[in-house]
Amino acid sequence: MRFPRHMFKSVTNVRTMHRENDVRIYFYRRIVHAKIFIDHHYQDTIDIDRIADQACLSKFHFIREFKRMYGKTPHKYLTSVRIQSAEKLLQKGIPASKVCHDVGFDSLSSFCSLFKRMVGLSPTSYAIQQRATASEVRKIPLKYVPGCFASQYG
């Protein structure tokens, strides 16, 4: 029995689609694995080669795929993770010089300028502002309860 040619093409297309999906899933998993690596090792000295090795991809292909998936390059993502971690440590009252090294930066001046560019305040000003806000929340906690929440449960 011979199959019509159009049926053969659709079976071939289905096989091709499955292979393409498998490849996409493979790349997705590799990129996510590298992102998790960044999340767990941001405080270490890591470079793009080491991160791309975690994804088992070439450096340039990895950068393209990472940016396509997350909207920023791996380096920018690493920097943002480090700055977010620095914000948390500064809120706890840890000095900026210690925070700088704890989150993976080598230079205090580059950390301070990057922090100011991303957050809008220097690390010291940010820490002072956070302490003032925390103190005010302890004194007048109801001032920081959203109106919608207060009207619903208040």
Side-chain angles (χ1 to χ4, degrees):
M1 176 177 178
R2 283 184 73 135
F3 289 104
R5 184 166 265 196
H6 71 280
M7 287 181 71
F8 180 73
K9 284 183 180 179
S10 66
V11 170
T12 304
N13 288 341
V14 168
R15 285 183 186 148
T16 304
M17 285 174 38
H18 284 295
R19 273 190 235 121
E20 287 174 5
N21 276 343
D22 290 345
V23 169
R24 286 186 183 136
I25 291 170
Y26 172 78
F27 281 124
Y28 175 78
R29 286 182 178 162
R30 300 309 326 154
I31 301 297
V32 169
H33 179 74
K35 180 188 174 291
I36 292 170
F37 176 79
I38 292 171
D39 291 339
H40 290 179
H41 299 282
Y42 66 89
Q43 69 279 9
D44 300 335
T45 303
I46 54 176
D47 61 359
I48 192 65
D49 292 319
R50 187 169 169 202
I51 300 168
D53 286 346
Q54 289 295 315
C56 301
L57 298 171
S58 75
K59 177 169 68 171
F60 300 107
H61 187 65
F62 169 71
I63 292 170
R64 275 192 310 273
E65 291 298 315
F66 191 97
K67 186 171 183 176
R68 187 178 60 78
M69 281 180 62
Y70 294 108
K72 56 176 83 170
T73 65
H75 184 264
K76 284 188 179 183
Y77 178 75
L78 173 62
T79 302
S80 68
V81 169
R82 285 176 170 171
I83 295 296
Q84 288 170 0
S85 180
E87 287 176 330
K88 291 175 188 172
L89 293 174
L90 288 166
Q91 288 172 358
K92 293 178 182 177
I94 299 171
S97 58
K98 180 161 176 28
V99 169
C100 166
H101 297 289
D102 287 352
V103 298
F105 288 99
D106 293 328
S107 165
L108 182 60
S109 62
S110 64
F111 165 70
C112 290
S113 64
L114 214 88
F115 190 93
K116 186 171 184 173
R117 189 176 343 133
M118 292 181 78
V119 177
L121 297 167
S122 70
T124 306
S125 299
Y126 179 82
I128 291 168
Q129 179 194 47
Q130 292 300 311
R131 281 194 294 269
T133 302
S135 173
E136 192 174 334
V137 167
R138 281 191 294 279
K139 288 178 186 173
I140 315 168
L142 293 178
K143 181 179 177 183
Y144 293 92
V145 175
C148 60
F149 184 84
S151 66
Q152 180 76 23
Y153 300 103

